[in-house]
Amino acid sequence: MMKQKIWKLVRPVVRPLGGAIIIVLFYLLRIFPIKKNKVLACVSGGRRYDDNQKFIMEELHKLIPDLDIVWVKDPKYEYELPTWMRPVKWRSWQWLYEYATAKIWTNNCCEPDYFVKRKGQLYVETWHGGLGIKKVSGDIIGEYAAGRTKTLFLKNASDMANVFISNSDHLSVIYRRAFQFHGPIWKCGYPKNDMLVQNNPEEGMKARKDLGIPFDHKVLLYAPTWRLRFTQEQHIDMNVYDLDIQRLKKTLTNKFGGEWTMLIRFHPSLRLYAKGYQETRPEVMDVTDYQDMQRLLMATDVMISDYSSCIFDAALRRIPCFTYATDFEQYKYEERGVYYEMEELPFPYAKNNDELEQNVKAFDMEDYLKKWDAFTVRMGLNETGHAAKDIAEKMADYLNGKKVTWQNDFE
């Protein structure tokens, strides 16, 4: 707690100084040539192996098996990488060198503005939110819309990225406004959602086998998101995650039949607190550390979230999805702001366990799917099922010296 308070005081001085040092180092590292066969990928500051970058790199490896693919990895997080991929420690000297010499960069969270892209390098930004509920970057409201968001995200987005990858008109508008990005936006779909669009049941079976879930069980996945106020207040209120698992299990059994396995997946920033949560709820399986979220969604029969964009991913499989949010008014006005009212979404919305029980009991699949289809049309959603391959092919062409042009699907 004391360390956090000290960091809060010195951060306004330390961050700009550190950024200036990195800029100088980037220019010094220009003495090394750009490696024409090297690609560098980063997801959420190196915290995991997933998201759009995972699927793009796997397709790129298929196209160019001897390619040097470097994955940024934060050593505080334990996860495995494919043997054909080379890890580099986040915020290390080697990390800077790899960035300075890689032919292609790709990130799901935007590169910091103290990075200096060289002539001849390609930067593909995918972001990670899709049809997300919570506001991002320059759209964030109130005290959380600090200068950090504007300096770190907006400048690099407008100055360095060669293309932003989008899956909808909704997201493309956000790129233009919240990120102030004026370059090409390719609405080719999100690579991480290819699996969900293809909807191969074998992928779900793999997740069930990994987690020891009986193949004849139905699966409920509860995946709530993080609150920014937890960071600022240095206090995590687990009461916002008070879903009554036992009660919900009975309701699901009565409504849909079958035996149910109940899963919970917290945001990575809550992973340490997740352990204590499960200790008081032995009937729920904690899958926070399960790396492959998309495969987990393939194993899911019913999805519940609050403000996480993963609920839109799950809905691509046309499974029942529900929203459960006890703090929406606070989140909307005091947290960071939202892009939708909860009632606008196609997912039945509950503010407490009583309402959630009623929503499950009253659920009508035909009506739900009509609302979901209408919502996707309104958002201009475009998920092709082959986005990862399409992007990888563009990257391969660039690595092979071909001129690459990006389709701009949003003016």
Side-chain angles (χ1 to χ4, degrees):
M1 186 71 73
M2 182 58 67
K3 288 182 179 179
Q4 291 176 327
K5 290 181 178 179
I6 294 174
W7 172 241
K8 191 174 181 179
L9 291 173
V10 302
R11 181 175 178 174
V13 176
V14 173
R15 287 192 71 94
L17 179 61
I21 292 172
I22 290 174
I23 290 173
V24 172
L25 289 173
F26 257 99
Y27 276 103
L28 292 175
L29 288 168
R30 287 171 181 254
I31 64 172
F32 297 101
I34 294 173
K35 301 297 180 76
K36 295 181 180 180
N37 69 327
K38 181 162 68 178
V39 175
L40 187 143
C42 183
V43 167
S44 303
R47 289 184 294 183
R48 54 190 191 269
Y49 177 59
D50 66 358
D51 216 281
N52 294 308
Q53 280 59 33
K54 170 185 175 179
F55 300 99
I56 297 171
M57 293 304 102
E58 289 177 353
E59 289 295 331
L60 192 55
H61 174 67
K62 293 176 185 177
L63 294 172
I64 312 177
D66 61 346
L67 183 65
D68 182 16
I69 299 179
V70 182
W71 189 272
V72 176
K73 186 174 183 182
D74 186 335
K76 296 195 297 293
Y77 296 85
E78 296 182 7
Y79 56 88
E80 294 184 0
L81 294 174
T83 55
W84 45 264
M85 186 176 282
R86 184 163 59 88
V88 62
K89 183 181 178 182
W90 187 53
R91 290 185 173 175
S92 65
W93 294 104
Q94 184 71 21
W95 171 69
L96 294 177
Y97 170 78
E98 302 294 356
Y99 263 104
T101 58
K103 185 69 173 175
I104 297 177
W105 303 348
T106 181
N107 203 317
N108 79 328
C109 284
C110 288
E111 301 292 0
D113 62 356
Y114 46 71
F115 281 11
V116 183
K117 192 182 71 171
R118 300 168 65 176
K119 183 178 180 180
Q121 290 183 314
L122 176 74
Y123 167 26
V124 179
E125 174 61 48
T126 70
W127 196 237
H128 58 274
L131 296 175
I133 297 171
K134 51 195 176 187
K135 288 188 174 181
V136 299
S137 199
D139 284 346
I140 296 176
I141 65 171
E143 59 186 302
Y144 299 107
R148 173 180 178 272
T149 297
K150 298 184 182 301
T151 58
L152 291 188
F153 286 174
L154 301 186
K155 184 178 184 298
N156 86 76
S158 59
D159 291 353
M160 290 203 300
N162 295 89
V163 63
F164 267 53
I165 300 301
S166 174
N167 74 338
S168 61
D169 292 339
H170 168 82
L171 182 57
S172 298
V173 169
I174 291 172
Y175 288 157
R176 288 281 188 255
R177 182 188 62 240
F179 292 89
Q180 297 182 12
F181 179 69
H182 304 294
I185 297 175
W186 189 17
K187 197 179 73 171
C188 61
Y190 257 7
K192 66 179 180 180
N193 287 335
D194 290 345
M195 180 189 299
L196 302 171
V197 174
Q198 295 166 9
N199 206 16
N200 183 348
E202 291 184 5
E203 297 293 347
M205 289 299 178
K206 290 177 184 176
R208 288 171 178 262
K209 183 177 180 181
D210 291 342
L211 295 168
I213 300 172
F215 290 167
D216 60 343
H217 274 211
K218 293 182 179 180
V219 173
L220 176 283
L221 175 62
Y222 173 44
T225 194
W226 172 255
R227 271 70 171 161
L228 285 177
R229 65 180 181 271
F230 292 167
T231 301
Q232 186 182 56
E233 298 170 2
Q234 299 175 13
H235 169 71
I236 294 177
D237 178 12
M238 295 300 288
N239 288 326
V240 298
Y241 310 116
D242 70 343
L243 189 72
D244 190 331
I245 297 292
Q246 285 279 34
R247 180 178 178 182
L248 177 60
K249 187 175 183 178
K250 293 178 181 177
T251 306
L252 290 170
T253 300
N254 291 334
K255 176 66 178 181
F256 300 108
E259 293 290 326
W260 286 80
T261 293
M262 313 296 279
L263 308 180
I264 186 165
R265 182 184 176 89
F266 284 106
H267 187 279
S269 298
L270 279 166
R271 60 198 296 267
L272 296 179
Y273 298 87
K275 309 303 179 185
Y277 182 95
Q278 189 186 23
E279 287 175 3
T280 60
R281 296 168 177 82
E283 69 278 7
V284 61
M285 182 186 299
D286 175 16
V287 294
T288 302
D289 289 333
Y290 187 73
Q291 282 297 312
D292 200 331
M293 178 59 169
Q294 306 313 101
R295 188 164 284 158
L296 191 60
L297 291 176
M298 288 298 301
T300 298
D301 294 289
V302 173
M303 170 83 183
I304 296 179
S305 186
D306 42 24
Y307 317 115
S308 174
S309 62
C310 65
I311 195 169
F312 300 100
D313 300 343
L316 290 171
R317 293 191 52 231
R318 306 179 75 78
I319 62 173
C321 295
F322 300 85
T323 50
Y324 177 77
T326 62
D327 61 344
F328 179 69
E329 294 301 311
Q330 182 177 7
Y331 199 92
K332 176 182 176 181
Y333 294 111
E334 301 176 22
E335 176 79 8
R336 59 190 290 173
V338 295
Y339 289 117
Y340 323 93
E341 295 294 328
M342 299 300 280
E343 291 81 5
E344 290 181 73
L345 300 174
F347 319 118
Y349 165 50
K351 298 182 288 296
N352 53 57
N353 283 287
D354 288 343
E355 291 181 358
L356 179 60
E357 180 179 4
Q358 291 305 312
N359 286 344
V360 174
K361 287 180 177 179
F363 182 78
D364 181 276
M365 191 67 174
E366 183 178 356
D367 180 61
Y368 163 73
L369 291 177
K370 284 181 179 178
K371 290 179 179 178
W372 167 247
D373 290 339
F375 178 79
T376 62
V377 171
R378 191 165 73 251
M379 294 297 105
L381 184 68
N382 181 57
E383 292 288 8
T384 65
H386 47 77
K389 184 177 180 181
D390 293 343
I391 297 166
E393 287 176 349
K394 290 276 191 180
M395 288 183 172
D397 285 347
Y398 188 79
L399 292 167
N400 289 325
K402 297 180 181 179
K403 183 178 180 180
V404 174
T405 56
W406 301 94
Q407 181 176 340
N408 192 354
D409 293 315
F410 190 84
E411 296 296 341

